[in-house]
């Protein structure tokens, strides 16, 4: 199945350079190692997906659209789920958006952005 990357109704698949999924396991309070013998005690409360997303060179209007789309506290994102190999829509949040370097193409009279990326974590 072909990977896709949609934020809400906007499809940014053609602009994605890399999508890197990581499984994140938040532990319950009290999890940790016994200081006397080093035994690990762990209670996992959930499994959440965290993704690093990086983009190819973005035209100014696409950069504006991405910045607006991930501005709310939580956003709906559709991607290929590596655990099920199906397209799934899930709710994610982001905390940092790196816009990247601004470049100007004087022949096209267009500003574009290189190096845009952000991480997003499942709600």
């Amino acid at each position: 199945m072909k990977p896709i990357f949609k934020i809400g109704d906007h499809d940014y698949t053609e602009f994605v350079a890399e999508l890197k999924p990581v499984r994140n396991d938040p532990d319950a309070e009290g999890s940790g190692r016994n200081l006397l013998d080093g035994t690990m005690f762990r209670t996992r409360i959930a499994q959440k997906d965290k993704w690093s997303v990086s983009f190819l060179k973005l035209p100014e209007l696409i950069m504006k659209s991405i910045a607006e789309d991930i501005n709310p506290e939580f956003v709906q994102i559709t991607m290929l789920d590596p655990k099920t190999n199906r397209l799934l829509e899930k709710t994610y949040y982001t905390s940092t958006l790196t816009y990247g370097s601004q470049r100007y193409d004087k022949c096209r009279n267009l500003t574009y952005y290189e190096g845009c990326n952000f991480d997003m974590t499942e709600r």
Side-chain angles (χ1 to χ4, degrees):
M1 180 164 284
K2 181 183 170 194
I4 69 163
F5 185 74
K6 287 175 59 176
I7 304 172
D9 294 330
H10 296 143
D11 189 345
Y12 297 107
T13 304
E14 69 179 284
F15 300 104
V16 172
E18 198 169 52
L19 278 172
K20 294 191 285 187
V22 175
R23 189 187 79 204
N24 210 1
D25 292 349
D27 291 334
E29 190 174 322
S31 294
R33 294 207 177 271
N34 180 317
L35 295 177
L36 298 176
D37 64 9
T39 302
M40 180 67 182
F41 295 95
R42 181 173 189 232
T43 303
R44 180 174 54 202
I45 56 174
Q47 285 187 339
K48 299 293 181 180
D49 292 332
K50 180 177 181 178
W51 293 75
S52 294
V53 185
S54 57
F55 294 93
L56 302 168
K57 182 167 62 172
L58 296 173
E60 57 194 3
L61 293 178
I62 299 299
M63 181 71 254
K64 179 181 182 294
S65 182
I66 290 171
E68 289 173 351
D69 284 350
I70 67 166
N71 191 48
E73 283 187 74
F74 298 101
V75 295
Q76 296 299 115
I77 297 183
T78 305
M79 294 179 299
L80 179 62
D81 185 340
K83 295 178 289 214
T84 63
N85 199 40
R86 294 184 333 195
L87 297 179
L88 292 180
E89 181 180 289
K90 292 183 179 179
T91 304
Y92 290 86
Y93 66 90
T94 64
S95 59
T96 303
L97 168 62
T98 301
Y99 294 104
S101 300
Q102 293 179 339
R103 304 281 188 231
Y104 182 69
D105 183 338
K106 64 182 173 184
C107 295
R108 298 163 120 192
N109 192 27
L110 175 73
T111 298
Y112 60 91
Y113 294 80
E114 287 184 319
C116 175
N117 65 76
F118 61 87
D119 291 337
M120 57 189 194
T121 305
E122 185 180 357
R123 184 174 189 182

